[in-house]
């Protein structure tokens, strides 16, 4: 009975997380774009990535695992939520992923997940210390994990009152969503 309880606990612990091989694919595309070799998936490092993503999600705070890997973490509440970030993100998506990012107020959760993964790489790309880790030479293995909250809202920068539409010129329409992610490489 005790073993069954442990198995059920472990299953429930990992149920909200899975191996994020799509994000890992985006990391490798980014690396290849910079003339670096792809890294191979590691199930051992995946356990670290899952544990760390779970920790930053539960704590709602950034921290690192300090488990002798090159590690990037990210936490955000929206994507992209400024005009300059939206413009840069559109360029980034086309350049690296051949994806034409456009805000869609009727977005599916599946598509939001996909965009969120690109946005995670974009955020790492825009941080010098995180970019150095993404472009680390000599690493051979890695793993990624991410959590994108299914409770997301749409911020529409247009409002219509009495037949007159007003646009908030300093804020783009964007998605308000909690995102947490970890990349580990060795």
């Amino acid at each position: 009975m005790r073993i069954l309880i442990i198995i059920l606990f472990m299953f429930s612990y990992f149920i909200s997380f899975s191996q994020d091989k799509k994000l890992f694919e985006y990391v490798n595309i980014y690396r290849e774009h910079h003339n670096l070799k792809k890294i191979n998936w590691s199930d051992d490092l995946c356990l670290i990535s899952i544990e760390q993503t779970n920790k930053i999600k539960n704590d709602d705070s950034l921290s690192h695992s300090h488990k002798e890997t090159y590690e990037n973490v990210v936490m955000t509440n929206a994507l992209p939520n400024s005009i300059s970030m939206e413009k840069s993100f559109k360029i980034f998506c086309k350049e690296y992923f051949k994806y034409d990012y456009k805000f869609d107020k009727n977005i599916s959760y599946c598509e939001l997940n996909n965009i969120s993964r690109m946005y995670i790489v974009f955020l790492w790309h825009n941080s010098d210390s995180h970019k150095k880790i993404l472009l680390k030479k000599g690493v051979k293995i890695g793993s990624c994990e991410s959590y994108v909250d299914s409770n997301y809202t749409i911020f529409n920068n247009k409002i219509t009152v009495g037949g007159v539409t007003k646009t908030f010129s300093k804020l783009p329409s964007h998605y308000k969503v909690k995102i947490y992610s970890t990349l580990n490489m060795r």
Side-chain angles (χ1 to χ4, degrees), residues 18 35 86 94 130:
S18 63
N35 299 313
E86 181 185 53
K94 276 192 182 200
H130 291 95

PDB file of all heavy atoms in Angstrom, residues 18 35 86 94 130:
ATOM      1  N   SER A  18       5.372  18.020 -18.237  1.00  0.00           N
ATOM      2  CA  SER A  18       5.792  16.961 -19.139  1.00  0.00           C
ATOM      3  C   SER A  18       7.089  17.391 -19.787  1.00  0.00           C
ATOM      4  O   SER A  18       7.514  18.524 -19.639  1.00  0.00           O
ATOM      5  CB  SER A  18       4.721  16.716 -20.198  1.00  0.00           C
ATOM      6  OG  SER A  18       4.561  17.891 -20.983  1.00  0.00           O
ATOM      7  N   ASN A  35      25.087  28.863 -35.712  1.00  0.00           N
ATOM      8  CA  ASN A  35      26.132  27.926 -36.158  1.00  0.00           C
ATOM      9  C   ASN A  35      26.684  27.045 -35.047  1.00  0.00           C
ATOM     10  O   ASN A  35      27.858  26.694 -35.046  1.00  0.00           O
ATOM     11  CB  ASN A  35      27.269  28.687 -36.861  1.00  0.00           C
ATOM     12  CG  ASN A  35      26.772  29.415 -38.086  1.00  0.00           C
ATOM     13  OD1 ASN A  35      26.042  28.854 -38.901  1.00  0.00           O
ATOM     14  ND2 ASN A  35      27.150  30.677 -38.215  1.00  0.00           N
ATOM     15  N   GLU A  86       6.573  43.800 -28.721  1.00  0.00           N
ATOM     16  CA  GLU A  86       5.786  43.141 -29.759  1.00  0.00           C
ATOM     17  C   GLU A  86       6.493  43.228 -31.107  1.00  0.00           C
ATOM     18  O   GLU A  86       6.595  42.234 -31.830  1.00  0.00           O
ATOM     19  CB  GLU A  86       4.395  43.763 -29.855  1.00  0.00           C
ATOM     20  CG  GLU A  86       3.534  43.087 -30.920  1.00  0.00           C
ATOM     21  CD  GLU A  86       2.195  43.760 -31.109  1.00  0.00           C
ATOM     22  OE1 GLU A  86       2.169  44.984 -31.333  1.00  0.00           O
ATOM     23  OE2 GLU A  86       1.180  43.046 -31.043  1.00  0.00           O
ATOM     24  N   LYS A  94       9.936  35.535 -36.987  1.00  0.00           N
ATOM     25  CA  LYS A  94      10.174  35.325 -38.426  1.00  0.00           C
ATOM     26  C   LYS A  94      11.604  34.853 -38.680  1.00  0.00           C
ATOM     27  O   LYS A  94      11.829  33.927 -39.447  1.00  0.00           O
ATOM     28  CB  LYS A  94       9.901  36.606 -39.213  1.00  0.00           C
ATOM     29  CG  LYS A  94       8.467  36.782 -39.557  1.00  0.00           C
ATOM     30  CD  LYS A  94       8.272  37.894 -40.561  1.00  0.00           C
ATOM     31  CE  LYS A  94       6.785  38.007 -40.783  1.00  0.00           C
ATOM     32  NZ  LYS A  94       6.430  38.657 -41.989  1.00  0.00           N
ATOM     33  N   HIS A 130      21.530  35.100 -20.117  1.00  0.00           N
ATOM     34  CA  HIS A 130      20.777  33.938 -20.588  1.00  0.00           C
ATOM     35  C   HIS A 130      21.182  33.566 -22.019  1.00  0.00           C
ATOM     36  O   HIS A 130      21.249  32.385 -22.369  1.00  0.00           O
ATOM     37  CB  HIS A 130      19.273  34.208 -20.517  1.00  0.00           C
ATOM     38  CG  HIS A 130      18.762  34.291 -19.123  1.00  0.00           C
ATOM     39  ND1 HIS A 130      18.619  35.480 -18.458  1.00  0.00           N
ATOM     40  CD2 HIS A 130      18.368  33.331 -18.252  1.00  0.00           C
ATOM     41  CE1 HIS A 130      18.159  35.253 -17.243  1.00  0.00           C
ATOM     42  NE2 HIS A 130      18.002  33.958 -17.085  1.00  0.00           N
TER      43      HIS A 130
END
